[in-house]
Amino acid sequence: MASSKKPRSVDLAPAAAKVLADFDLAGKVLVAALSGGLDSVVLLQVLKTLQPQHRFVLRALHVHHGLSPNAERWAKFCTGYCKRLGVPLAVRRVKVARAGKGLEAAARQARYAAFRSVPADVLVLAHHLDDQAETVLMNLLRGAGLRGASGMPGRSRLGGKLLLRPFLGISREGIAACARAHVLEWIEDESNADETLTRNFVRRRLGPLLESRFPRWRESLARAARHFADAELDARALLREFLAAQGLRAPSEAKLVEMLKQLTSGGARTLVEHDGMRLRVYRGKLSIEAGSKIADFTPLAWNGERRLPIPALGGELRLRAARGQGIAPELLGGKSCVIRLRAGGERLQPDARRPRRALKNLFQEAGVPPWERERTPLLFCGDDLVWVPGLGIDARYQTGARGSGMLPEWRKPASKGEKYPV
């Protein structure tokens, strides 16, 4: 069906000029990515119009992926177009190595590698409103986090370059109207009709369906992306303040973004190392501890000592006499007792009224993070698991209500493994 959106003004120079005005570009080398398609052709035309006003050095870059039988023709078209505009063009041939990735992702990786390598102060891309909405929708459908839901930033850094997308607020229809008004020519990539590619499926199938019920779905998703981006900026500021409060050095902006991406990924085993510390998140709490090398641990015999230091695990096992609780010494029956770590498959029955259960499930219910489970000392007597810190004593070894017992406790320095809500 025909789009119900009204095309933006055919003069896109004011919108692009507004983006460029935030930077002093005089004498700077500005490179426009030119595929030869509608969007990039219009972008280069607009930048050529703005060049005298902003006094930048304008160049163009065409990335030759070699995936289409028409790739050489596209490169020749870009060469001719740039010659007519008087803009120097560099053609970079890249090899798209899929290596387990989808074709779209592999081509994008090769393209951005070329972007990083080109000599420039500023790189300008022709992504527009429709691209932004499609990107946000795809990321949300893939279960992306805050950063993915933020879509493409209007300005960012790439390999030391300033990266700008001045058309993010312009619809594809508006760009097409500008091209028609200036009687521009462009090439059509035949792969745009291939609906096995995710973006084409979203553009050709989902987009029209959404538009039939939500005519301004693109603007709505782009607006949501800005809200998510603002939330990500707030999250970056909080993480930066948190690191400063811990006396840790400030990471670069790129590393801060990557740290935040990992810490909010939802992975239970995510580990971020920074300035000698380890940061992890589990169930909404950020854990921070010294990043010293993890010591090897070998099983350690326990012969009834009231205090048993275990340096390899960073703590000490302590036992105190207790009435009506703890381990009943007589139930140990002279068995050989040993402290060891999990091997998998262990089971424990802390409550005699409930069945014996897998240690993994008990740890999950108690909210013990995965990395702590792997370094928690377990007390075995013979083949029986007797006690687990934080979970309790197995029912078979608990003292009676009037009996004398030994109450075990696992002590670690309070300064380690601190947790903060996130």
Side-chain angles (χ1 to χ4, degrees):
M1 63 174 284
S3 173
S4 60
K5 302 191 309 298
K6 293 181 179 179
R8 299 287 184 94
S9 167
V10 295
D11 186 5
L12 304 186
K18 186 176 180 181
V19 173
L20 300 183
D22 290 338
F23 308 95
D24 180 9
L25 299 178
K28 299 292 179 63
V29 176
L30 189 150
V31 173
L34 179 67
S35 67
L38 168 67
D39 314 326
S40 64
V41 163
V42 172
L43 174 65
L44 190 59
Q45 174 76 34
V46 169
L47 292 176
K48 181 64 177 178
T49 301
L50 296 174
Q51 185 180 14
Q53 175 186 348
H54 294 273
R55 295 178 291 126
F56 49 74
V57 178
L58 180 60
R59 295 174 183 166
L61 170 69
H62 175 74
V63 179
H64 189 307
H65 298 87
L67 297 175
S68 169
N70 297 311
E72 286 294 339
R73 184 170 64 86
W74 298 345
K76 290 179 181 178
F77 170 83
C78 292
T79 300
Y81 179 55
C82 288
K83 187 175 182 179
R84 291 192 298 274
L85 283 180
V87 176
L89 172 71
V91 176
R92 291 288 177 91
R93 297 175 182 269
V94 298
K95 184 176 181 180
V96 179
R98 300 186 68 161
K101 305 182 184 70
L103 182 61
E104 291 173 285
R108 182 182 184 278
Q109 183 174 338
R111 185 164 58 253
Y112 274 76
F115 291 164
R116 288 186 178 90
S117 66
V118 67
D121 298 303
V122 184
L123 180 68
V124 189
L125 305 183
H127 294 123
H128 47 69
L129 177 66
D130 297 58
D131 293 325
Q132 179 74 305
E134 291 158 5
T135 297
V136 173
L137 183 57
M138 287 189 297
N139 287 345
L140 290 174
L141 291 174
R142 289 166 176 156
L146 193 60
R147 191 180 183 198
S150 301
M152 297 177 288
R155 60 188 66 180
S156 59
R157 306 294 300 186
L158 180 70
K161 305 175 184 65
L162 174 64
L163 189 151
L164 298 178
R165 295 182 173 94
F167 283 177
L168 276 188
I170 309 297
S171 69
R172 183 181 289 115
E173 285 190 7
I175 293 173
C178 179
R180 289 192 295 269
H182 289 84
V183 198
L184 299 179
E185 295 181 354
W186 60 89
I187 57 175
E188 293 289 350
D189 184 345
E190 72 279 355
S191 69
N192 288 338
D194 182 2
E195 294 183 6
T196 63
L197 302 178
T198 303
R199 184 174 291 277
N200 291 340
F201 177 80
V202 170
R203 179 176 299 163
R204 297 168 64 90
R205 294 291 187 93
L206 295 187
L209 184 62
L210 286 170
E211 191 165 346
S212 67
R213 181 60 63 92
F214 305 101
R216 298 186 64 81
W217 69 275
R218 298 170 181 83
E219 288 85 354
S220 297
L221 281 180
R223 184 167 57 253
R226 291 193 293 272
H227 293 324
F228 285 125
D230 289 342
E232 187 189 14
L233 287 175
D234 291 342
R236 287 189 211 172
L238 287 173
L239 180 56
R240 191 181 288 108
E241 290 176 9
F242 171 80
L243 296 174
Q246 302 304 310
L248 305 180
R249 61 183 175 83
S252 67
E253 186 66 18
K255 183 175 181 181
L256 186 73
V257 169
E258 184 59 29
M259 289 172 67
L260 187 62
K261 178 182 177 181
Q262 293 184 44
L263 292 173
T264 57
S265 67
R269 294 185 178 274
T270 298
L271 169 63
V272 174
E273 296 189 11
H274 175 67
D275 202 17
M277 302 295 285
R278 291 192 180 98
L279 289 82
R280 300 181 174 95
V281 172
Y282 183 67
R283 295 187 179 179
K285 288 191 175 181
L286 176 64
S287 173
I288 181 168
E289 61 184 2
S292 55
K293 183 180 178 181
I294 297 177
D296 292 333
F297 177 78
T298 54
L300 184 64
W302 175 63
N303 299 306
E305 302 96 325
R306 294 300 178 96
R307 300 182 68 159
L308 181 63
I310 311 179
L313 300 182
E316 182 179 70
L317 172 63
R318 296 185 183 181
L319 294 103
R320 61 180 176 85
R323 175 68 62 178
Q325 57 180 328
I327 300 171
E330 65 274 11
L331 295 179
L332 298 179
K335 296 178 183 177
S336 173
C337 296
V338 66
I339 302 292
R340 66 175 192 246
L341 301 180
R342 288 180 66 196
E346 296 87 357
R347 303 178 72 83
L348 187 73
Q349 187 183 18
D351 188 340
R353 298 166 296 182
R354 302 185 65 184
R356 190 173 307 282
R357 301 178 62 205
L359 197 55
K360 175 183 178 180
N361 294 337
L362 292 172
F363 273 140
Q364 288 175 339
E365 286 186 3
V368 179
W371 61 90
E372 290 186 7
R373 302 172 201 172
E374 297 167 359
R375 303 291 290 178
T376 295
L378 312 181
L379 176 60
F380 285 83
C381 284
D383 293 328
D384 295 338
L385 177 57
V386 176
W387 169 73
V388 180
L391 299 183
I393 300 165
D394 191 88
R396 294 171 296 177
Y397 289 87
Q398 294 173 6
T399 191
R402 297 183 179 181
S404 298
M406 296 180 296
L407 195 62
E409 181 183 10
W410 174 237
R411 289 278 189 92
K412 294 183 73 176
S415 60
K416 292 191 176 181
E418 294 183 84
K419 297 179 178 66
Y420 305 85
V422 295

